[in-house]
């Protein structure tokens, strides 16, 4: 791969080069951020994006029923024989030092404000748990650090979150990171 100003090319640039070279499929291993980079590079090309979930929550892979906990052989079989799906992408224009020469797309969720603060907190800290519990903790942490609500009110919010999760489990809805046991 060619270098850009002495730095190895980004994920997005590598995928774009592969697509322009006629590569039929690019396989990405990572989370929603990695998939966003790959989707941005491959949008509008005939190149297929294969997904190996490897991030924290893997919301996009989960929405497509691609489970991180599958064995490597199962994931490989899915890549080889799985069906190709067309998905809608949202688009946005980047600004500032992180702006790219490529158009930017997203395939899961776009957020601003509070959600972004929670995500920044979760991505910059290590936890003994992964996935959704990290974000629940991050939400509570950001609410408390903003000075509202009080710690007692935050506990009430936590109880409401737990009750909502319990209700979902009673309805047979099981989130892969929050199990009833």
């Amino acid at each position: 791969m060619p270098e850009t100003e002495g730095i190895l090319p980004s994920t997005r640039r590598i995928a774009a080069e592969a697509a322009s070279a006629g590569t039929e499929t690019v396989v990405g291993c990572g989370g929603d951020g990695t998939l966003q980079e790959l989707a941005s590079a491959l949008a509008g090309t005939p190149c297929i994006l294969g997904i190996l979930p490897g991030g924290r929550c893997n919301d996009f892979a989960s929405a497509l029923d691609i489970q991180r906990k599958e064995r490597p052989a199962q994931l490989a079989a899915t890549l080889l024989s799985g069906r190709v799906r067309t998905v809608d992408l949202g688009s946005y224009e980047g600004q500032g030092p992180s702006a790219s020469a490529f158009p930017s797309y997203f395939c899961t969720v776009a957020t601003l404000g509070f959600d972004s603060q929670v995500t920044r907190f979760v991505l910059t800290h290590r936890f003994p748990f992964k996935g959704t519990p990290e974000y629940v903790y991050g939400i509570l942490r950001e609410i408390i650090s903003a000075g509202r609500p009080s710690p007692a009110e935050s506990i009430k919010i936590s109880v409401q979150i737990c009750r909502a999760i319990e209700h979902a489990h009673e309805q047979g809805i099981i989130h892969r990171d929050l199990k009833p046991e």
Side-chain angles (χ1 to χ4, degrees):
M1 287 283 149
E3 289 191 1
T4 305
E5 299 178 21
I7 300 172
L8 290 176
S10 70
T11 301
R12 192 183 292 200
R13 186 172 306 282
I14 292 169
E17 289 172 359
S20 68
T23 301
E24 184 178 322
T25 303
V26 168
V27 176
C29 180
D32 293 326
T34 299
L35 295 177
Q36 174 187 328
E37 291 295 309
L38 294 170
S40 291
L42 302 178
T45 74
C47 190
I48 297 166
L49 172 58
I51 300 170
L52 293 173
R56 290 176 183 257
C57 283
N58 303 297
D59 293 330
F60 184 61
S62 293
L64 296 174
D65 202 29
I66 302 169
Q67 301 302 316
R68 180 180 185 172
K69 294 177 183 173
E70 290 182 32
R71 294 182 172 192
Q74 290 171 305
L75 289 170
T78 299
L79 286 171
L80 293 172
S81 63
R83 62 187 174 157
V84 176
R85 302 179 201 173
T86 302
V87 298
D88 292 325
L89 299 175
S91 64
Y92 65 95
E93 292 184 27
Q95 296 180 5
S98 63
S100 170
F102 297 103
S104 294
Y105 296 91
F106 57 93
C107 43
T108 54
V109 178
T111 65
L112 299 170
F114 181 74
D115 251 8
S116 297
Q117 288 175 258
V118 171
T119 299
R120 186 176 304 114
F121 173 77
V122 169
L123 294 177
T124 57
H125 292 79
R126 292 188 182 265
F127 300 97
F129 39 81
K130 294 291 177 205
T132 300
E134 291 176 295
Y135 288 92
V136 171
Y137 178 80
I139 289 167
L140 295 173
R141 163 75 167 55
E142 288 301 311
I143 288 171
I144 291 168
S145 70
R148 53 185 194 279
S150 70
E153 291 172 18
S154 295
I155 291 170
K156 287 180 185 177
I157 292 169
S158 298
V159 169
Q160 290 173 341
I161 290 170
C162 291
R163 285 184 179 148
I165 293 167
E166 181 179 33
H167 178 73
H169 289 165
E170 289 169 356
Q171 302 304 311
I173 301 167
I174 307 297
H175 187 283
R176 65 184 180 78
D177 292 323
L178 300 171
K179 309 286 186 292
E181 61 267 353

